[in-house]
């Protein structure tokens, strides 16, 4: 009788994030779920926001890590054995983050915050020109899911999108593509940073490359602060009062008081990392669902999505 | 010999706006240009921002008025003889105004000004949810050139556009069309006013109709303030601290101190009528060009565009 054979035990998965009941049950149907404090020696996969090196040392059977965040720059890569496959959650928050990027770009370009501040202070004089965006160029740096969506939305507004990434991408509505950052930014009035933070992009946007942008440039960042050189952008913002840096991401990550020198500049538009999952429970839940689905893909023996090229980080 | 016959004299046009030299010369090739202070009795057409009733009384031969503004609600309609054809400059500033509407909607929906104010005040806590726009409905009131463009841009962002106008319009990417204002706004979180101000739309957006919108609604106005009932919106904004009114247009027109009670509300985003020609010399020049081109169309005996139905105003 079939029942008398030992059944293959369900594969063990460490869940190091708080899952809503429904997702916990869904995952529980294809895996044995344990917590990070449980016996993890024979656990095969890990679902987490970040990877704890101590847990890695105990989970010696680990073969797959599914991260809930879209970016994986924060992982302790030097502690992750090369044989462990890591999947990011890229794209899971792309729609809201791309919308936020467009919101920052339009608010900055149309000087909405400037005018609102003046109106509330009793100054109604239109003291700066409001540019027409339709027909203008915009550089979109990074053509992952966020960059693609930003490019689509801005194209639909009649902007001519110059796309920059390491490799050409299919299906993005671009006016022009370049792998040369200087070519993408030189003379440009508008630019949106939608790159992954990795060893190639850390500090990529130096003072030199940014200062090639137009005098009244607008730089939007919804990716990671560290892509932009902190002292470089600060110098540029001090030199050019009409250049605007509109950013949702910060070098200090979660202690914004350490970035108050930049936040306080009049030509900075500052939001507290709310474009994606940290700004919306709905988005965070969608990210958890997407992560669990990809983990289930791995557990079913399928190829998981968003496998991170380790060489981008180590 | 042909030269001995009296040639038909060039038709006389009153130009009551300051034209750049190039446009003045262009118009001068097809008409005899006079100023409002000159002998205008036999002038056939008038190019103006507004119509001076005194001038109308002197220009008894007038048959055509080309207005430089897109809206014509400010004209002294009771002084304009029914036989005089009036053309507006509708559409001439549609691209920048539509962009501005989308900028206001996104800035309000994503709470950009709120977060920026908090960040600059040292408060970094994400204290309000940031909604996802993709997949959400938005009402676009008025499907002229501005409304069409707003609908296109928001559709490209994945929003489902509910279009409202008196008559169905072709070629607008709508999720749904309605001629019923209550149907368009009821339960709606987002709405953009892109209607002409005329006798049908003045005071159309009362407290009753606006209060049917969602509790955290966002109402954007780039059309004319008078479409929105002043006391109605003020009451709604006081009752619902999370409802946002983002507007570029004001009941006081040019003395914003008379609107300071509304401008000063924390849930109002206020800009000083800068979406179109008043905010940009480039846009104003394009409007002048468009107006001169339409006037030339009339002078060549062609049908001018944007003939205003007098019955909408009288």
């Amino acid at each position: 009788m079939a029942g008398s054979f030992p059944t293959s035990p369900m594969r063990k998965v460490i869940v190091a994030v708080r899952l809503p009941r429904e997702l916990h049950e869904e995952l529980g149907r294809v895996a044995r779920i344990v917590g990070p404090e449980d016996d993890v020696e024979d656990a095969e996969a890990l679902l987490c926001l970040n990877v704890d090196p101590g847990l890695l040392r105990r989970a010696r059977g680990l073969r797959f890590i599914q991260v809930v965040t879209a970016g994986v720059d924060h992982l302790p890569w030097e502690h992750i054995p090369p044989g462990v496959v890591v999947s990011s959650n890229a794209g899971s928050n792309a729609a809201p983050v791309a919308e936020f990027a467009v919101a920052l770009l339009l608010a900055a370009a149309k000087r909405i915050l400037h005018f609102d501040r003046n109106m509330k202070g009793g100054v109604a004089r239109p003291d700066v020109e409001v540019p027409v965006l339709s027909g203008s160029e915009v550089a979109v740096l990074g053509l992952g899911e966020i960059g693609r969506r930003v490019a689509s939305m801005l194209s639909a507004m009649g902007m001519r999108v110059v796309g920059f990434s390491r490799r050409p991408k299919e299906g993005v509505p671009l006016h022009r593509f370049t792998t040369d950052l200087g070519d993408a930014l030189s003379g440009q009035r508008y630019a949106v940073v939608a790159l992954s933070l990795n060893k190639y992009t850390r500090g990529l946007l130096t003072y030199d490359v940014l200062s090639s942008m137009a005098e009244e440039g607008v730089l939007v960042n919804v990716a990671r602060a560290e892509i932009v050189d902190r002292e470089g952008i600060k110098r540029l913002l001090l030199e050019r009062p009409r250049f605007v840096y509109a950013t949702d991401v910060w070098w200090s990550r979660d202690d914004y008081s350490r970035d108050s020198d930049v936040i306080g500049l009049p030509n900075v538009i500052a939001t507290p990392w709310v474009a994606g999952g940290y700004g919306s429970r709905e988005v965070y839940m969608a990210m958890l669902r997407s992560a669990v689905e990809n983990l289930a893909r791995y557990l079913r023996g399928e190829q998981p999505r968003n496998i991170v090229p380790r060489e981008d980080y180590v």
Side-chain angles (χ1 to χ4, degrees), chain A residues 182-202:
Chain A
D183 175 38
L185 288 182
S186 178
Q188 206 63 270
R189 181 146 180 192
Y190 308 108
V192 176
V193 185
L195 292 156
S196 300
L197 174 60
N198 57 39
K199 72 181 188 194
Y200 303 109
T201 62
R202 187 174 294 271

Side-chain angles (χ1 to χ4, degrees), chain A residues 140 142-153 169-173:
Chain A
V140 175
L143 299 173
E145 194 56 30
I146 294 169
R148 282 166 197 264
R149 283 173 182 264
V150 170
S152 294
M153 290 185 231
K169 299 284 166 83
E170 299 286 309
V172 192

